[in-house]
Amino acid sequence: MRSPVGARSLADSMVNGLRDAIGEAEDLSSYTIAELVSDPGLRERLIDMGAGANRVRRLWADAVGPALNLNLGFNAQDGD
């Protein structure tokens, strides 16, 4: 079975995005939350990490989920 055009690129984007976010989370894990939010440089890294994770979520919501007929549901996003 052949993959759809662009599927490999999409998968690579998701894997790399998750890998980057996890690596940044690991790097930041030695700081307290107070340090992360009070230091401008650390705060920027924290914001960038969240933005990267959100980009992966958007890839899923916009491309992967619909292609597989699997969409993020209400409960997946409501914080419960």
Side-chain angles (χ1 to χ4, degrees):
M1 171 186 243
R2 288 184 46 155
S3 296
V5 174
R8 181 61 186 198
S9 176
L10 180 60
D12 288 345
S13 293
M14 291 188 69
V15 167
N16 291 333
L18 286 170
R19 186 177 294 135
D20 291 346
I22 291 167
E24 187 67 9
E26 289 172 343
D27 290 347
L28 296 174
S29 69
S30 63
Y31 299 98
T32 66
I33 192 68
E35 291 170 320
L36 289 170
V37 298
S38 65
D39 180 283
L42 292 175
R43 185 173 52 247
E44 187 66 30
R45 287 177 61 190
L46 187 63
I47 291 167
D48 289 345
M49 180 194 67
N54 192 49
R55 280 190 295 277
V56 173
R57 187 188 68 78
R58 293 299 325 153
L59 284 173
W60 176 271
D62 295 343
V64 177
L68 299 173
N69 200 28
L70 299 170
N71 296 304
L72 292 175
F74 175 78
N75 289 334
Q77 299 179 55
D78 68 357
D80 287 349

